[in-house]
Amino acid sequence: MKTAVIYARYSSDNQSEQSIEGQLRVCEEYARSHDILILDTYIDRAMTGTNDNRADFQRMIKDSGKRDWNYVLVYKLDRFSRDKYATAVHKKTLKDNGVKLISATEHIPDTPEGIIFESMLEGYAEYYSAELSQKVRRGMNETRQKGNFTGGFLIYGYKVENKKVVIDDERAEVVRYIFEQYSLGVYVKDIIASLTARGILNRGKPFARNTVYNILKNEKYSGIYRHNDEVFENMYPQIVPLEIFERVRRKINANKYGKRSIEVVYLLRHKLKCGYCGQPISAECGTSKTGDKKRYYKCFGRKNHNGCKKSMIRKDYLENLILSTVIDELSKPKTLDRIVSGLLAEQERFIKENSIINVLLREKKQIETSLENIMAAIEQGVITNTTTKRLKELEARQEELERQILIERSKNAVRVSAEEIREYYKAALALEAQMLINYLVKDIVLYDDKIEIYFNKPTRTSPDENRGFSVFTGTADNIEIEIII
Ligand SMILES: [Zn+2]
């Protein structure tokens, strides 16, 4: 049976304390289903960005030298290290000690594709921010599963004791009264009147109509708390029997009270940059003379009066323009062909110019020359302690270099095929608008008469190729649109 240790780390102020347990739980499940025996756990708690000494992490790396176990199991690779370089260094130490790093949630095969996937995971800032919010939600879910209060506004009729939501008896009585009366057909204004007459007030004033309706509509009083698609029945103790709650709900629906407000999503938020002043472009909402809401994207610099003259652009207009251009273009085989050939050419260039391997090869050559010189000296009978010591050093370095060159070569051998590039971009077309934008678009630079859309790419390229090549240019309403990969 293979053996492992778990490494868990708590790193964000946004996460609740319980998420360490969440990490452990997921890792333990993974170990169980893969027949791995957990021998130990290493945990770094309550870390902040500046305090990154990670005592247990260091201990784990050191202990890996004893070769007592096969794997280090982490909840996600970023538990291991935030910094790509540090990750590589620590991973190598583990590898030298015969220990493998496994992520319980990211399945990374030991194939070239796996290596690409891993570097994509580590590399994409967009991915990272999406992940961060996912982890915050995850922390909250741990809290919910324990039945603990997740913080925020606590509804009328409850109080918090030892992190748990408990019933506030006096107020719960009021809640029950409101539900009973309403279910019997008493009007809300009459319920309020009788409460007021009995001296029952809310924050010193008679209950507001809205407050009463909000109470009547709140499912938590029936003991049910929904979050996303999950139902938690261990968080809010029941104040109102389900039957009465359901009766009230049907009555409210029948009375058609309560307008739902639709949350407005700004699809391009966080992606837009002003072409004139470089500031982000953010959401803006105003009300017209007729009372309609008008939504825009507006340069943040201009909002702060930095002198930028970039005009506002209507939200719907810009989003439609960008989405339709991107989707139209990606659907064209001709555009995809252009993307594929461009990326393949970039990839070839990158592999040729990969400077690490060139440096390594140069050093290897120098060492070979030095070794030849020493060997020649030895053949001529010049043997001193220094020459032997130097010989050993050079040989050790030569061995190390050969290993590193092998690693770099194997990295270069990781090529993304034309088919994989096609798949990468085609996959986008199956996504919903928001996902599509996040997946595909790195950023968008906005001028009044020009829009540059920069795409993410699935291949590795040199830093100076970050601004890539143009795959499409077109014009709509006198605005020039360009897609750049
Ligand atoms: Zn601007």
Side-chain angles (χ1 to χ4, degrees):
M1 194 181 207
K2 297 277 189 190
T3 55
V5 297
I6 298 175
Y7 175 69
R9 177 163 71 100
Y10 164 95
S11 70
S12 159
D13 299 333
N14 289 327
Q15 269 180 303
S16 64
E17 186 71 49
Q18 290 87 341
S19 60
I20 285 269
E21 289 163 40
Q23 293 176 35
L24 294 179
R25 200 161 54 89
V26 172
C27 288
E28 277 157 8
E29 272 164 23
Y30 180 92
R32 247 197 310 281
S33 63
H34 288 77
D35 262 338
I36 298 169
L37 181 68
I38 302 290
L39 295 179
D40 206 350
T41 53
Y42 296 85
I43 298 167
D44 284 318
R45 266 180 210 275
M47 319 264 310
T48 65
T50 47
N51 162 32
D52 202 19
N53 53 19
R54 308 205 287 161
D56 253 19
F57 181 82
Q58 301 301 342
R59 203 162 60 81
M60 181 270 291
I61 293 285
K62 214 174 138 210
D63 289 357
S64 75
K66 296 182 199 153
R67 296 162 199 256
D68 284 335
W69 20 268
N70 309 105
Y71 305 122
V72 174
L73 195 51
V74 290
Y75 165 61
K76 281 208 169 173
L77 286 177
D78 66 358
R79 299 295 81 200
F80 194 67
S81 176
R82 231 174 297 184
D83 171 44
K84 220 171 170 175
Y85 177 73
T87 304
V89 171
H90 293 311
K91 247 193 213 164
K92 186 182 164 302
T93 311
L94 290 182
K95 207 173 175 183
D96 292 347
N97 292 336
V99 172
K100 207 179 149 202
L101 176 67
I102 306 182
S103 157
T105 52
E106 297 138 318
H107 300 287
I108 297 160
D110 270 338
T111 57
E113 295 75 28
I115 298 169
I116 298 181
F117 179 61
E118 196 176 353
S119 72
M120 272 171 71
L121 280 189
E122 288 168 358
Y124 280 167
E126 202 46 49
Y127 193 94
Y128 178 74
S129 68
E131 271 227 322
L132 188 65
S133 59
Q134 188 195 334
K135 269 176 290 203
V136 172
R137 280 201 299 278
R138 178 169 179 84
M140 300 280 271
N141 257 343
E142 292 302 321
T143 310
R144 285 189 193 98
Q145 272 171 10
K146 287 178 134 191
N148 286 351
F149 184 49
T150 46
F153 178 71
L154 191 63
I155 54 170
Y156 187 88
Y158 292 104
K159 57 188 177 184
V160 174
E161 273 174 13
N162 298 326
K163 291 188 185 172
K164 302 269 186 210
V165 179
V166 296
I167 292 178
D168 176 332
D169 289 327
E170 215 168 288
R171 292 182 163 191
E173 213 36 65
V174 177
V175 172
R176 264 182 224 119
Y177 177 79
I178 292 174
F179 269 91
E180 274 158 23
Q181 293 292 297
Y182 189 85
S183 75
L184 293 171
V186 180
Y187 289 127
V188 166
K189 67 172 174 32
D190 295 332
I191 298 174
I192 294 171
S194 61
L195 284 173
T196 311
R198 285 159 57 195
I200 297 168
L201 304 171
N202 186 25
R203 293 191 200 123
K205 279 187 268 180
F207 273 82
R209 276 175 62 92
N210 254 335
T211 310
V212 173
Y213 275 112
N214 283 337
I215 288 174
L216 288 169
K217 285 188 288 183
N218 204 322
E219 201 180 13
K220 288 174 190 137
Y221 292 117
S222 71
I224 292 173
Y225 172 43
R226 282 174 210 277
H227 185 78
N228 295 336
D229 288 333
E230 272 186 278
V231 175
F232 299 88
E233 293 186 37
N234 57 351
M235 233 175 119
Y236 288 87
Q238 191 184 59
I239 290 180
V240 177
L242 203 59
E243 184 205 323
I244 293 188
F245 180 80
E246 283 304 327
R247 201 184 309 153
V248 164
R249 173 160 34 206
R250 280 194 299 273
K251 252 186 161 41
I252 287 178
N253 285 345
N255 291 345
K256 292 239 160 78
Y257 181 87
K259 290 165 248 153
R260 279 208 196 116
S261 70
I262 297 156
E263 202 195 332
V264 179
V265 178
Y266 284 81
L267 272 185
L268 305 174
R269 193 178 253 174
H270 307 312
K271 294 283 183 191
L272 295 170
K273 235 186 276 173
C274 175
Y276 300 107
C277 72
Q279 288 280 305
I281 288 187
S282 54
E284 173 97 356
C285 181
T287 312
S288 75
K289 281 172 203 148
T290 55
D292 294 337
K293 286 254 186 279
K294 299 234 185 255
R295 297 175 204 284
Y296 299 93
Y297 285 107
K298 184 176 181 178
C299 168
F300 191 75
R302 188 176 168 186
K303 231 184 232 180
N304 286 333
H305 311 289
N306 71 348
C308 182
K309 295 275 191 288
K310 169 89 191 74
S311 48
M312 297 198 291
I313 185 160
R314 287 289 292 270
K315 170 187 180 292
D316 292 343
Y317 173 76
L318 182 66
E319 287 174 358
N320 284 336
L321 186 62
I322 285 175
L323 268 180
S324 61
T325 307
V326 164
I327 292 172
D328 282 356
E329 279 314 306
L330 274 189
S331 313
K332 287 181 193 158
K334 222 173 95 188
T335 312
L336 264 184
D337 287 347
R338 203 172 300 158
I339 292 174
V340 169
S341 61
L343 282 179
L344 287 179
E346 249 186 16
Q347 178 169 263
E348 285 311 304
R349 226 175 12 255
F350 173 74
I351 288 169
K352 263 195 211 124
E353 290 165 7
N354 184 343
S355 55
I356 300 171
I357 203 160
N358 287 337
V359 170
L360 293 174
L361 285 171
R362 257 203 306 282
E363 193 186 340
K364 192 181 162 223
K365 187 125 199 150
Q366 281 166 7
I367 285 183
E368 278 164 2
T369 316
S370 305
L371 276 173
E372 275 165 23
N373 292 341
I374 289 183
M375 293 310 282
I378 290 172
E379 275 165 26
Q380 286 164 24
V382 192
I383 306 171
T384 65
N385 279 342
T386 353
T387 45
T388 347
K389 198 175 154 235
R390 182 81 186 123
L391 182 70
K392 281 199 177 127
E393 279 171 7
L394 286 171
E395 275 173 346
R397 181 66 191 146
Q398 188 184 33
E399 204 176 299
E400 173 62 20
L401 278 171
E402 270 161 12
R403 226 176 50 80
Q404 283 184 14
I405 288 167
L406 210 65
I407 292 173
E408 287 304 318
R409 283 236 161 91
S410 74
K411 274 192 202 161
N412 282 352
V414 178
R415 286 163 200 251
V416 181
S417 70
E419 206 37 54
E420 282 163 333
I421 295 174
R422 264 175 223 286
E423 282 308 313
Y424 178 88
Y425 289 103
K426 272 188 187 163
L429 293 175
L431 300 172
E432 280 176 47
Q434 183 71 73
M435 291 287 288
L436 181 142
I437 296 286
N438 284 346
Y439 174 88
L440 215 52
V441 176
K442 196 158 149 202
D443 48 38
I444 299 169
V445 180
L446 216 58
Y447 301 85
D448 283 335
D449 54 358
K450 187 172 188 224
I451 300 171
E452 293 166 359
I453 305 168
Y454 291 92
F455 271 12
N456 288 320
K457 44 185 148 189
T459 48
R460 300 193 303 163
T461 49
S462 325
D464 56 356
E465 274 168 342
N466 271 344
R467 260 2 195 170
F469 56 94
S470 174
V471 284
F472 163 80
T473 45
T475 312
D477 297 343
N478 290 324
I479 299 179
E480 195 191 325
I481 306 169
E482 186 176 10
I483 297 177
I484 299 141
I485 287 201

